[in-house]
Amino acid sequence: IVQRVHGLMAAPAVHRLFKAAHKGKTQRGHAGRQPINQGPGTLRLAAQTSMAPYAFSLVSRDVTVLWAKLRGGPVTDSQNPDAADLEPLNRCLAKLIEVITRYQGTIDQLSGDAIKVFFGAENPRSDDVQRAVMCAVEMQMAMRDLNMEHMRDRVPQVFMGIGLSTGKALAGRIGSDAFSHFTVMGDLVNLAFRLQAFSLRGQVLISEETYERCWGLVSATAPMQVFVKGYSQPITMREL
């Protein structure tokens, strides 16, 4: 791929480039083709190749995962996209992202009406679980305030359910040199998603391990056991 550096590339310059390449003047290194110096009008061969393997790796971390999903509206109509009203959704997401940022959570996934956040994967702290729980509670408080505004503005109300789980997870960057993403993987990610699916409007459901790590900070219901998809035994959860 030939990259033009100074203005329009003249035809003689192109001729000189390929003539030099033909004569073997192109310098080659282990990383691929190197630039050819042609004075002020330098032309560079920008195709860089690398045979080195990806240096990505995963580490085991104590992580708290927060799954939140908006409900109500409807926000969009897949049958009539021209009539889709994104304002309620964008209002909610803007406020929720503000809360998550304040509690130093990492947004791993933002897909339509769902948000996946983790605490403790990149920069572990002793209060990761506490910050995650407080973040979830404040997110629901923010939704309550937003719905008050929606009622005044005659905008459809939007509600949210949240699930939290804590435990060991694999954390790290995955992908390739072309695209990579820092994420967490493990059973607790699926558990947080399942708890979120059980939650009703305005609820925050937490796993038993999450509760055991923050019981002195929060008030929660008695434990409840439920069967969820992907688990042979019932799991224990509580509502904040």
Side-chain angles (χ1 to χ4, degrees):
I1 301 172
V2 180
Q3 179 181 354
R4 293 176 291 184
V5 177
H6 294 289
L8 297 175
M9 183 169 59
V14 179
H15 176 72
R16 288 196 300 272
L17 171 67
F18 287 102
K19 185 178 179 181
H22 178 70
K23 291 182 178 180
K25 294 183 180 179
T26 301
Q27 300 175 0
R28 298 180 183 272
H30 295 293
R33 293 182 178 177
Q34 302 299 319
I36 302 174
N37 295 326
Q38 295 288 343
T42 300
L43 302 175
R44 298 183 183 275
L45 292 175
Q48 299 293 326
T49 60
S50 174
M51 300 303 292
Y54 306 133
F56 306 137
S57 61
L58 298 173
V59 295
S60 179
R61 290 276 170 81
D62 278 319
V63 178
T64 297
V65 176
L66 182 157
W67 265 103
K69 184 173 176 62
L70 297 171
R71 298 168 185 142
V75 177
T76 60
D77 182 358
S78 59
Q79 301 301 319
N80 187 16
D82 293 335
D85 184 6
L86 292 177
E87 184 172 349
L89 174 64
N90 287 331
R91 277 191 188 186
C92 295
L93 292 178
K95 189 62 178 178
L96 295 175
I97 292 171
E98 178 185 328
V99 174
I100 294 167
T101 302
R102 187 181 312 127
Y103 284 96
Q104 300 176 325
T106 299
I107 298 177
D108 181 43
Q109 183 177 330
L110 180 61
S111 56
D113 55 0
I115 306 177
K116 175 188 170 187
V117 185
F118 56 74
F119 296 79
E122 290 187 286
N123 301 300
R125 298 182 178 91
S126 59
D127 64 343
D128 286 326
V129 179
Q130 290 83 354
R131 285 187 291 107
V133 170
M134 291 188 292
C135 179
V137 172
E138 189 166 333
M139 287 169 69
Q140 291 291 19
M141 293 172 64
M143 290 300 300
R144 179 197 61 192
D145 295 341
L146 280 170
N147 278 324
M148 294 296 292
E149 295 178 13
H150 289 175
M151 291 179 64
R152 290 195 300 267
D153 298 340
R154 298 182 181 276
V155 175
Q157 295 188 61
V158 182
F159 301 92
M160 180 174 60
I162 298 178
L164 284 166
S165 67
T166 303
K168 290 289 185 182
L170 294 177
R173 186 167 294 279
I174 60 174
S176 70
D177 286 344
F179 175 82
S180 63
H181 178 61
F182 190 94
T183 189
V184 294
M185 298 179 288
D187 185 63
L188 81 162
V189 178
N190 181 57
L191 179 56
F193 177 80
R194 298 301 177 189
L195 292 175
Q196 171 274 131
F198 266 97
S199 64
L200 302 176
R201 295 178 173 185
Q203 279 189 318
V204 177
L205 299 181
I206 64 175
S207 69
E208 188 67 10
E209 185 164 354
T210 301
Y211 175 75
E212 289 175 355
R213 299 197 190 192
C214 66
W215 62 269
L217 177 69
V218 301
S219 175
T221 63
M224 301 171 282
Q225 289 196 323
V226 294
F227 284 94
V228 299
K229 184 178 180 180
Y231 293 83
S232 59
Q233 300 296 322
I235 60 103
T236 301
M237 66 180 186
R238 296 174 186 258
E239 179 186 355
L240 293 181

